[in-house]
Amino acid sequence: MTKQSNINILNPTKIDMKDKKILLELEKNARQSISQIAKKVRLSKETTNYRIKRMEKEGLIAGYFTVLNSAALGYNIYRVLIKFQNTTPKKEDEIINYIKKFHYPLNARLCSIEGEWDLYASFRAKSIFEFKRFYDAFVYKYGKYIETKNVNVTTRIYHFLHNLLFDLDDRSHFIFEEETPIIKIDQIDEKIIALLMKDCRIPTINIAHKLNLSANTVKHRIKRLIKEKVLACFKMKINDAPFGYQHYLIMLTFQNIDHEKKKNLV
């Protein structure tokens, strides 16, 4: 179970149906403009912008990110689960900050969790050797604080909508597989992707200024990366606590199951 945020779930942020409609639009495509969202939820641009800023300030919206189709760029995803031993909160923070300093493309996700494991991390690497260089250095530095660890390679990833938060029954999803055709990109594409990974709502003009490009160039490159399915979708980081929900990470090991049975289970 992921650790709680600093929002008090006993006194949740008050959100109404209009807030929920805005959140749903950000859930579907967080890179939509304020004008596009306002039109869909039937509010003025000013009201829509105010409500989004309020929810950001209150911590209901924790940020925005891009879902990257890593396989399309030739990356494998390696997931690491760690159980600590002989640590202090300060040492655990040090370990987490050590992993955090490795930004895109290596560091894909990092969560403190409770239960059988204490830390969940996923990493992108184009070969097992690239991942092993980082992993070996990490274990050498912090191995004495690790009681148990589990490493696996991800071959398929599913992304679903937050149906429970919005009272939906929408089963649509994105699937990423290891056999995705490789798309060639250049250094400018890499820099654009890196900025979108940090904040998918960063304005096109801001990307252009940072990279000394024209806004049209950035716009066309992003459009191409979406068309080529490198950029899968743009999402918000929503804080589930005010809705009364918590995240759970469930690890399942199957025996005597074929592809069709596994597909039906998902």
Side-chain angles (χ1 to χ4, degrees):
M1 181 176 68
T2 55
K3 292 184 178 179
Q4 290 298 315
S5 68
N6 57 6
I7 289 186
N8 182 0
I9 61 173
L10 298 178
N11 185 26
T13 304
K14 292 181 180 179
I15 54 174
D16 58 21
M17 188 54 65
K18 291 178 181 178
D19 288 332
K20 276 195 172 186
K21 287 181 179 180
I22 292 171
L23 289 172
L24 178 57
E25 288 305 320
L26 290 169
E27 167 74 0
K28 291 178 178 178
N29 179 7
R31 195 161 169 76
Q32 294 184 80
S33 68
I34 295 295
S35 297
Q36 289 172 315
I37 296 172
K39 185 176 181 180
K40 291 176 182 178
V41 301
R42 297 184 177 182
L43 294 172
S44 69
K45 289 191 296 183
E46 294 75 18
T47 299
T48 302
N49 186 56
Y50 170 79
R51 284 174 176 263
I52 290 174
K53 294 297 183 185
R54 172 177 57 77
M55 288 188 284
E56 290 172 348
K57 184 177 180 180
E58 292 175 346
L60 182 61
I61 299 175
Y64 305 95
F65 66 99
T66 298
V67 177
L68 180 69
N69 186 359
S70 300
L73 298 180
Y75 291 106
N76 295 316
I77 300 291
Y78 299 88
R79 295 188 174 184
V80 181
L81 290 161
I82 292 172
K83 181 69 175 178
F84 290 131
Q85 65 176 4
N86 304 321
T87 61
T88 63
K90 184 177 180 181
K91 180 57 66 175
E92 290 182 16
D93 285 343
E94 179 188 327
I95 294 171
I96 290 170
N97 288 329
Y98 175 85
I99 297 174
K100 275 184 177 180
K101 74 179 184 180
F102 295 93
H103 300 297
Y104 167 83
L106 179 63
N107 190 350
R109 191 176 183 186
L110 179 64
C111 300
S112 293
I113 56 180
E114 296 175 356
E116 183 180 354
W117 305 97
D118 297 314
L119 193 67
Y120 166 93
S122 60
F123 304 92
R124 298 183 191 89
K126 291 192 174 182
S127 71
I128 185 65
F129 304 104
E130 183 181 348
F131 168 72
K132 191 174 184 297
R133 282 194 294 272
F134 163 79
Y135 182 72
D136 285 351
F138 171 74
V139 173
Y140 178 79
K141 187 175 180 68
Y142 295 110
K144 64 181 178 181
Y145 301 110
I146 299 173
E147 177 184 329
T148 312
K149 53 188 181 294
N150 180 289
V151 181
N152 58 71
V153 181
T154 301
T155 57
R156 178 175 289 187
I157 301 174
Y158 297 84
H159 279 272
F160 297 90
L161 290 173
H162 285 81
N163 281 329
L164 287 175
L165 302 185
F166 305 109
D167 301 319
L168 298 175
D169 187 24
D170 187 339
R171 303 303 174 90
S172 60
H173 57 275
F174 297 97
I175 303 177
F176 304 133
E177 300 187 66
E178 62 179 355
E179 297 180 346
T180 301
I182 305 299
I183 304 297
K184 292 183 178 180
I185 63 173
D186 59 22
Q187 289 185 346
I188 295 176
D189 288 334
E190 285 276 10
K191 291 177 180 178
I192 291 173
I193 291 170
L195 290 170
L196 289 171
M197 293 295 288
K198 292 179 181 178
D199 178 8
C200 71
R201 284 191 64 77
I202 179 174
T204 300
I205 192 67
N206 289 14
I207 297 176
H209 286 159
K210 286 178 180 289
L211 303 182
N212 196 26
L213 299 169
S214 72
N216 277 337
T217 296
V218 173
K219 179 181 178 181
H220 290 311
R221 281 178 175 264
I222 292 175
K223 187 176 181 180
R224 174 175 54 78
L225 291 169
I226 294 172
K227 184 178 180 180
E228 292 174 338
K229 298 182 179 180
V230 173
L231 303 177
C233 57
F234 305 105
K235 308 286 282 185
M236 67 173 170
K237 296 177 186 177
I238 190 165
N239 192 321
D240 297 329
F243 292 92
Y245 292 109
Q246 298 175 343
H247 273 110
Y248 291 86
L249 177 65
I250 302 174
M251 307 292 292
L252 300 175
T253 301
F254 298 113
Q255 290 183 340
N256 303 320
I257 186 170
D258 58 23
H259 176 74
E260 193 62 31
K261 288 180 179 179
K262 191 184 294 185
K263 182 179 178 182
N264 291 335
L265 179 62
V266 173

